[in-house]
Amino acid sequence: MKQVTKHVIRNDLKRLFTYRLCLIGFKRKGFDRLYSYTLGEEAGVSADQVRKDFSNYKITGNKKGGYNIDELLRAIDEVIKHQDDQYMILVGMGNIGRALVQYKTFKLRKMIIVASFDIDPAKQSKRWNVPVLPLEMMDDIIKKFHVKVAILAVPAISAQDVANRLYDLGIKGILNFAPVILKTPEDIIVNNINLCDELESVIYYTQKVI
Amino acid sequence: MKQVTKHVIRNDLKRLFTYRLCLIGFKRKGFDRLYSYTLGEEAGVSADQVRKDFSNYKITGNKKGGYNIDELLRAIDEVIKHQDDQYMILVGMGNIGRALVQYKTFKLRKMIIVASFDIDPAKQSKRWNVPVLPLEMMDDIIKKFHVKVAILAVPAISAQDVANRLYDLGIKGILNFAPVILKTPEDIIVNNINLCDELESVIYYTQKVI
């Protein structure tokens, strides 16, 4: 039997994205080189953590005078960035779903939502940036575009059913906006964004800590 | 001089939200009691981690036969949940901003967006769930409703300026959707949601790991 482990988005991978964002910021400000402690301070971690993360992902380039920012960005892109257009689908054309199909930055980063799906025929007839199709057509679209990634923006109550269906159709990664913990097999990655929890944790700090 | 430390959303607080979500799920399924390892498995962490997190937040109630789910939920709510309506503002009525002012779950969780702000007069004249006002009116609204929390959904290029302004007006917590690392003083918490990075990290796993 194939041995699989449950996949979770690792924190060091998340930090790699943060580093990239910081580096782009430094570049815009006109810098060419920087030290790990400068990058760490900007990203909110220690210089040790920066070096450890880079070492884990085999990102080199620390010389006297620090890292060359362009080289670092290329090395990080090498690790995290898909080179070609990535096709994905979205399920659930509520407020969040509609915002996401219109979110231009996805396309700039070569992430293309090829179709969205909703059970509501009224939504299917409306014009958005992408076609809105009935769920019965998911199979066809997933096969046609070799889709591996889906954005799930359906109500909590139907999220598990849709996730099961996506898995059966070969989806390997889900960005889940429904406020539920999905039960999924171990050869699929689920990344949860719970908007209420994110907002409530900000409130927590403003009330109890700051 | 007052000693302040930079605040970041702690992972154990994030897990507390996850535990709550899992517990609500178990309750819906008809369970009354559960063990820390059951909760850990559902939340994707070890039983030790569950007990350690509970201990950190002084959440007790582990007896022979496990925890009572209702008691646990009450204890977690005691830690993380504001009891009264929390008023907040939103800045930037693009796709994401518009979705968030219409996101009903915020209100169910007593998080009320009292007003949103946008520099575009065309957006100010449109009708949404909340009034859309010019940025000049932020000060009045923040004072009137004693607002401490803001959602930032403006383009990357203006995010830092708006964040500075929010801080000057007394905002203590920001949920930031703009894809930039904000430079902020230490007595404010910023929680970043970078939608592209979240989606890209899912792609990373489907391409390289699974």
Side-chain angles (χ1 to χ4, degrees), chain A residues 2 42 164 190:
Chain A
K2 201 185 149 200
E42 187 82 1
N164 294 347
V190 178

Side-chain angles (χ1 to χ4, degrees), chain B residues 148-168:
Chain B
K148 293 282 169 220
V149 173
I151 301 172
L152 194 53
V154 300
I157 196 157
S158 43
Q160 184 64 59
D161 283 345
V162 177
N164 295 346
R165 199 156 161 178
L166 289 169
Y167 178 79
D168 290 340

Side-chain angles (χ1 to χ4, degrees), chain A residues 79 86 109 200 207-208, chain B residues 79 86 109 200 207-208:
Chain A
V79 176
Q86 275 294 321
R109 294 261 291 265
E200 210 165 345
Q207 290 193 326
K208 313 229 169 164
Chain B
V79 176
Q86 276 294 319
R109 295 262 291 265
E200 211 167 343
Q207 290 193 324
K208 313 230 168 159

Side-chain angles (χ1 to χ4, degrees), chain B residues 98-180:
Chain B
R98 289 198 302 271
L100 295 174
V101 297
Q102 296 175 86
Y103 192 61
K104 293 187 188 74
T105 326
F106 286 156
K107 205 171 251 179
L108 294 174
R109 295 262 291 265
K110 299 188 177 181
M111 300 186 281
I112 319 285
I113 299 172
V114 289
S116 70
F117 298 88
D118 200 287
I119 49 163
D120 181 357
K123 278 174 186 159
Q124 292 161 22
S125 61
K126 280 209 184 158
R127 296 238 147 243
W128 306 97
N129 287 18
V130 298
V132 185
L133 308 170
L135 269 67
E136 292 69 36
M137 290 185 67
M138 281 201 307
D139 194 12
D140 287 348
I141 298 288
I142 287 173
K143 279 191 186 128
K144 186 174 168 192
F145 292 94
H146 307 285
V147 175
K148 293 282 169 220
V149 173
I151 301 172
L152 194 53
V154 300
I157 196 157
S158 43
Q160 184 64 59
D161 283 345
V162 177
N164 295 346
R165 199 156 161 178
L166 289 169
Y167 178 79
D168 290 340
L169 296 174
I171 292 295
K172 291 291 178 200
I174 294 177
L175 183 61
N176 173 38
F177 286 87
V180 284

